[in-house]
Amino acid sequence: MAPILQSSQPWVEKYRPKKVKDVAHQDEVVRVLTNTLETANCPHMLFYGPPGIGKTTTALAIAHQLFGPELYKSRVLELNASDDRGINVVRTKIKNFAAVAVGSGQHQGSYPCPPFKIIILDEADSMTEDAQNALRRTMETYSKVTRFFFICNYISRIIEPLASRCAKFRFKSLSEEIMSSRILHICDEEGLTLDEEALSTLSSVSQGDLRRAITYLQGAARLFGSSISSKDLINVSGVIPQEVVGALYAACKSGDFDLANKEVNNVIYEGYPVSQMLNQLFEVVVEADDISDEQKARICKTFAEADKCLVDGADEYLQLLDVASSIIRSLCNMPQEFSYEN
Amino acid sequence: MLWVDKYRPKTLDQVIVHQDIALNLKKLVAEQDCPHLLFYGPSGSGKKTLIMALLRQIFGPSAAKGKVENRAWKIDVGTRSIDLELTTVSSTNHVELCPSDVGFQDRYIVQEIIKEMAKNRPIDTKGKRGYKVLVLYEVDKLSREAQHSLRRTMEKYSSYCRLILCCNSSSKVTEAIRSRCLNVRINSPTDEQIVKVLEFIGKKEGLQVPSGFAARIADKSQRSLRRAILLFETCRVQQYPFTVNQAIPPMDWEEYISEIASDVMREQSPKRLFQVRGKLYELLTNCIPPEIILKRLLYELLRKLDEELKHEICHWAAYYEHRMHMGQKAIFHLEAFVAKFMSIYKAFLIATFG
């Protein structure tokens, strides 16, 4: 086993792009922001999109590029969900920060240093509605000296008045090629070997989330040394092996309740997360050729219900058993309505 | 000392059941560094044991000597301040706590303690700055806000501290946290592995274990090693030398639930329901968690029912268990399930036998 260069930093942080132009795949945003760098002016911004595709990275990069390391502290306020962010923070911290005027644009070395401050609100969708409402006026009053960058996963959780004050940018999911090239770049830097199969496994298990892919890669590298196979990646990613999913599905198909119950028990004892199980079972059901659309629809409905219950904190065993039982009923064309209900 | 504690593996080398995982963990910390870790698996599978062994591997024997402390925090939240108390176990290099104990204010604890740890980083003999490990138990019971607040904190303070999270089901841990950790799945030991451990303990204790006896305990233990060892010790106290067909005492609450199950199978009436309520209360006041009661009851009922009723009953069990989480008082939902069962079963009996 070749020695691996270890650093205490997670690779996710280590390989975070430092410049806006290095951000992969988000051409539109990059174009606007590069323009910002030249003209030293920008609107309020709202970045949204699925996790792990570079929203926070972009915001941090632009802030660094605008102000440089020296002024960064005084010009940029970074708030995220780990900091307390109720209405009080908006009233005091953000207001105080926004209220102090800045000197007009003198260039500091090679940095443009425009005459405004930046407030980055990461994970803005977890802000309370009250806090968001309190922001509305603040944004307008201090618009001369501050620019807000909101970052969120779900734009629907941002109240409309805030969203309408910002230039919105949707971050696209990363395509497989982009991910592969990024992963290979990291492999080169870290001295890892990754074969073709492992690479495609990695992009499929991480589902377009580059951060997840890198975390898996680092985990696998730590555990299994410098040459990583696709099996190792499945091992660290928490994806359930296809055999286990297949066994449960086959048990359901046989129509035998006790057999299905045994498989469900097995899944629970093996410690597989049930939400993951539902996802993978869902794929199996949707791709199956031998069941009718109506059956598929029925099964998917129970998946949805079970998923909601799991989010609410219901017991995993009972939910999975319920799903299994309803798959049996759908596949074996038993009546959907219970006969003895009333 | 109970055998469960006495024979708990102290180091990663002594681990019998999860040897492959132990080996991997050892590799992981070989460079004196580790990523954030998330251990998940059913109870009694050895998560805590592995975590303690891992800490020992990283920090040496000092990690095992934890100091139990009841600490109080005073946290300023804008206008008011919140007083919180929590029991922690700490050594120079690690802190263990179970943040869900403080209920809905858990998020303050998590932020506060991590920031505190970041402030006083340990420095090793070479003057190199080390890191501390924060072990959080029952992460799946953390509120959504607390989990949210963990995510950025984990990144921000990653050079000062490593988190080891431990939970039963990783479904209840948000995706954001899972993606920041190296997930380690700990499966329940198989029956064979349990037998192996029991035989190992038997040998150490100098006991004669008849063949097949350990296998029967393993069968009863529902793949929980802790329960198997406890059962084994109970048997030892009850009768020694062991005989091949010695009865293995079931848990008394399980016995009690199976009684309830046969009660409701025998008669379905409001009067019986009233009696069952008394029994359910009895179980609840003895601190048996309501989910466990419901699951066990379902297990007992499923053993006795006809195939066609099973689907229906398991659906309603899932339904009422979900309700139980949404609601406040567990007894309502347990009773509702029993009543539902009675009505279904009665209808079934009438339809079948007239």
Side-chain angles (χ1 to χ4, degrees):
Chain A
M1 186 174 85
I4 311 157
L5 201 81
Q6 292 281 1
S7 94
S8 63
Q9 233 182 352
W11 292 354
V12 180
E13 298 289 325
K14 196 171 164 191
Y15 294 100
R16 206 185 260 282
K18 301 283 182 305
K19 296 216 167 85
V20 173
K21 68 173 168 43
D22 295 339
V23 174
H25 198 53
Q26 315 294 351
D27 305 326
E28 196 188 337
V29 188
V30 171
R31 207 170 48 239
V32 171
L33 289 178
T34 335
N35 199 16
T36 301
L37 279 175
E38 280 156 16
T39 61
N41 198 6
C42 76
H44 298 304
M45 306 245 199
L46 173 61
F47 298 159
Y48 65 101
I53 52 173
K55 300 183 297 294
T56 312
T57 307
T58 312
L60 291 178
I62 184 80
H64 273 288
Q65 271 184 290
L66 278 175
F67 299 113
E70 273 174 46
L71 274 178
Y72 184 84
K73 275 252 156 65
S74 64
R75 292 290 185 86
V76 180
L77 178 68
E78 195 194 333
L79 288 173
N80 53 59
S82 350
D83 308 301
D84 190 33
R85 233 176 20 181
I87 191 162
N88 269 319
V89 174
V90 175
R91 284 199 185 127
T92 56
K93 211 168 168 184
I94 295 185
K95 244 183 176 168
N96 289 343
F97 183 80
V100 181
V102 290
S104 55
Q106 72 279 52
H107 279 246
Q108 278 261 340
S110 59
Y111 299 104
C113 288
F116 55 76
K117 300 177 173 187
I118 290 180
I119 297 180
I120 301 173
L121 289 167
D122 206 343
E123 294 148 38
D125 39 5
S126 64
M127 276 172 94
T128 59
E129 200 160 303
D130 287 344
Q132 293 190 30
N133 270 318
L135 263 182
R136 290 162 63 167
R137 195 70 203 137
T138 318
M139 275 176 81
E140 282 179 349
T141 323
Y142 302 108
S143 65
K144 273 215 178 97
V145 280
T146 44
R147 297 290 180 275
F148 281 86
F149 283 22
F150 295 98
I151 301 171
C152 63
N153 291 136
Y154 305 101
I155 195 172
S156 51
R157 303 247 179 93
I158 303 289
I159 58 168
E160 185 49 40
L162 276 193
S164 70
R165 283 173 171 80
C166 303
K168 283 173 239 157
F169 294 101
R170 191 173 72 83
F171 278 59
K172 289 173 291 208
S173 289
L174 302 176
S175 68
E176 200 156 314
E177 300 91 71
I178 304 275
M179 275 194 49
S180 307
S181 73
R182 200 72 207 163
I183 294 288
L184 285 177
H185 166 72
I186 292 176
C187 287
D188 277 352
E189 295 274 314
E190 296 288 336
L192 302 175
T193 48
L194 204 62
D195 57 28
E196 205 51 40
E197 191 197 350
L199 196 60
S200 72
T201 314
L202 187 58
S203 16
S204 76
V205 292
S206 54
Q207 293 165 353
D209 184 339
L210 189 56
R211 175 175 47 219
R212 213 176 341 168
I214 297 175
T215 318
Y216 290 160
L217 189 67
Q218 187 174 19
R222 284 254 171 83
L223 281 175
F224 305 104
S226 60
S227 67
I228 298 164
S229 70
S230 81
K231 206 170 130 254
D232 300 338
L233 285 168
I234 288 187
N235 217 333
V236 288
S237 65
V239 173
I240 303 171
Q242 209 55 42
E243 303 92 77
V244 180
V245 185
L248 180 61
Y249 183 66
C252 291
K253 220 168 179 182
S254 73
D256 184 348
F257 183 86
D258 291 321
L259 195 65
N261 192 359
K262 217 179 108 217
E263 283 300 330
V264 169
N265 259 320
N266 188 38
V267 170
I268 300 291
Y269 284 141
E270 288 295 316
Y272 294 116
V274 171
S275 54
Q276 179 68 31
M277 189 67 185
L278 289 184
N279 283 342
Q280 291 188 245
L281 210 52
F282 169 73
E283 269 164 35
V284 172
V285 168
V286 169
E287 280 163 18
D289 300 325
D290 51 347
I291 48 179
S292 71
D293 284 354
E294 195 195 338
Q295 285 170 325
K296 281 184 187 174
R298 281 208 188 115
I299 295 173
C300 291
K301 194 170 155 240
T302 46
F303 281 152
E305 277 162 13
D307 191 60
K308 160 80 175 112
C309 292
L310 284 177
V311 169
D312 289 339
D315 187 82
E316 298 199 310
Y317 165 73
L318 291 173
Q319 291 302 330
L320 190 57
L321 189 62
D322 188 25
V323 166
S325 130
S326 90
I327 295 178
I328 294 176
R329 273 181 285 133
S330 300
L331 290 184
C332 302
N333 291 317
M334 294 183 197
Q336 287 298 305
E337 299 303 319
F338 294 123
S339 31
Y340 305 109
E341 199 172 313
N342 288 307
Chain B
M1 210 184 199
L2 287 175
W3 289 356
V4 184
D5 298 318
K6 196 168 162 191
Y7 292 103
R8 187 188 290 270
K10 298 282 182 307
T11 64
L12 288 175
D13 300 313
Q14 291 172 6
V15 171
I16 300 178
V17 178
H18 298 291
Q19 261 161 357
D20 46 339
I21 296 175
L23 206 69
N24 282 339
L25 287 176
K26 229 163 112 181
K27 261 192 233 161
L28 194 64
V29 297
E31 316 265 341
Q32 285 298 308
D33 183 29
C34 77
H36 299 304
L37 291 169
L38 171 69
F39 286 82
Y40 62 98
S43 60
S45 57
K47 299 182 292 293
K48 249 178 221 188
T49 310
L50 277 173
I51 291 176
M52 289 323 293
L54 178 69
L55 286 175
R56 209 185 147 98
Q57 182 79 29
I58 303 175
F59 297 118
S62 70
K65 290 189 216 95
K67 187 169 78 206
V68 181
E69 254 181 310
N70 212 348
R71 295 180 56 182
W73 280 274
K74 207 179 179 81
I75 297 158
D76 278 319
V77 196
T79 49
R80 71 216 146 88
S81 69
I82 300 171
D83 288 303
L84 292 174
E85 258 191 42
L86 193 65
T87 317
T88 61
V89 179
S90 56
S91 74
T92 42
N93 292 310
H94 87 288
V95 179
E96 276 172 64
L97 69 157
C98 181
S100 58
D101 283 353
V102 286
F104 67 99
Q105 284 164 333
D106 47 6
R107 71 199 202 97
Y108 300 114
I109 283 285
V110 172
Q111 286 176 27
E112 201 63 20
I113 196 157
I114 293 180
K115 282 178 187 161
E116 193 176 292
M117 280 169 73
K119 268 183 221 147
N120 38 29
R121 284 171 75 178
I123 297 174
D124 72 358
T125 42
K126 290 181 213 113
K128 228 174 73 187
R129 289 190 146 189
Y131 57 88
K132 277 191 160 194
V133 172
L134 176 63
V135 185
L136 299 179
Y137 293 119
E138 294 182 21
V139 193
D140 43 354
K141 296 213 181 90
L142 276 183
S143 65
R144 217 123 263 264
E145 290 81 48
Q147 295 197 17
H148 255 298
S149 71
L150 254 183
R151 53 193 262 197
R152 187 64 194 158
T153 317
M154 282 167 83
E155 286 183 350
K156 211 161 153 190
Y157 296 106
S158 64
S159 51
Y160 314 113
C161 83
R162 295 288 179 278
L163 290 174
I164 297 184
L165 311 173
C166 177
C167 66
N168 280 134
S169 69
S170 75
S171 317
K172 288 173 200 164
V173 180
T174 57
E175 183 52 53
I177 292 185
R178 267 186 283 160
S179 77
R180 282 168 175 78
C181 297
L182 179 58
N183 297 12
V184 184
R185 179 174 59 86
I186 313 285
N187 56 337
S188 295
T190 58
D191 283 358
E192 294 85 63
Q193 283 170 326
I194 292 179
V195 169
K196 213 166 122 193
V197 173
L198 290 181
E199 274 165 2
F200 168 78
I201 292 176
K203 214 163 89 194
K204 285 263 174 184
E205 288 284 316
L207 302 175
Q208 291 291 325
V209 186
S211 65
F213 183 66
R216 273 174 53 225
I217 292 183
D219 186 45
K220 283 256 178 194
S221 65
Q222 294 166 358
R223 293 181 69 178
S224 160
L225 191 56
R226 177 172 32 218
R227 190 188 275 209
I229 298 176
L230 283 172
L231 273 177
F232 189 47
E233 195 169 3
T234 320
C235 291
R236 163 78 177 79
V237 174
Q238 213 170 40
Q239 185 190 347
Y240 186 78
F242 298 125
T243 51
V244 180
N245 45 9
Q246 179 179 351
I248 295 162
M251 299 278 187
D252 47 358
W253 61 271
E254 285 180 353
E255 193 89 309
Y256 207 68
I257 292 176
S258 104
E259 223 171 86
I260 295 178
S262 40
D263 279 355
V264 293
M265 295 288 287
R266 220 174 298 127
E267 187 190 327
Q268 298 83 33
S269 66
K271 192 166 147 260
R272 184 46 61 93
L273 186 60
F274 182 71
Q275 283 169 359
V276 168
R277 166 199 277 183
K279 289 190 175 175
L280 289 174
Y281 255 123
E282 182 75 31
L283 284 169
L284 285 174
T285 47
N286 278 308
C287 292
I288 311 285
E291 305 91 63
I292 305 268
I293 299 180
L294 190 69
K295 259 156 82 174
R296 188 73 199 177
L297 191 58
L298 177 72
Y299 169 80
E300 294 289 346
L301 290 174
L302 285 183
R303 282 199 335 194
K304 300 174 183 177
L305 282 177
D306 279 30
E307 186 80 10
E308 60 178 312
L309 277 180
K310 281 180 181 169
H311 296 287
E312 207 161 333
I313 298 303
C314 88
H315 170 75
W316 289 114
Y319 176 83
Y320 285 112
E321 202 273 340
H322 174 228
R323 284 252 177 140
M324 205 147 74
H325 279 276
M326 306 308 291
Q328 294 270 331
K329 242 174 128 56
I331 184 77
F332 293 154
H333 306 285
L334 286 176
E335 227 177 285
F337 173 67
V338 173
K340 190 88 201 173
F341 171 78
M342 283 182 171
S343 112
I344 291 170
Y345 194 62
K346 188 103 182 171
F348 168 73
L349 288 181
I350 292 172
T352 330
F353 303 110

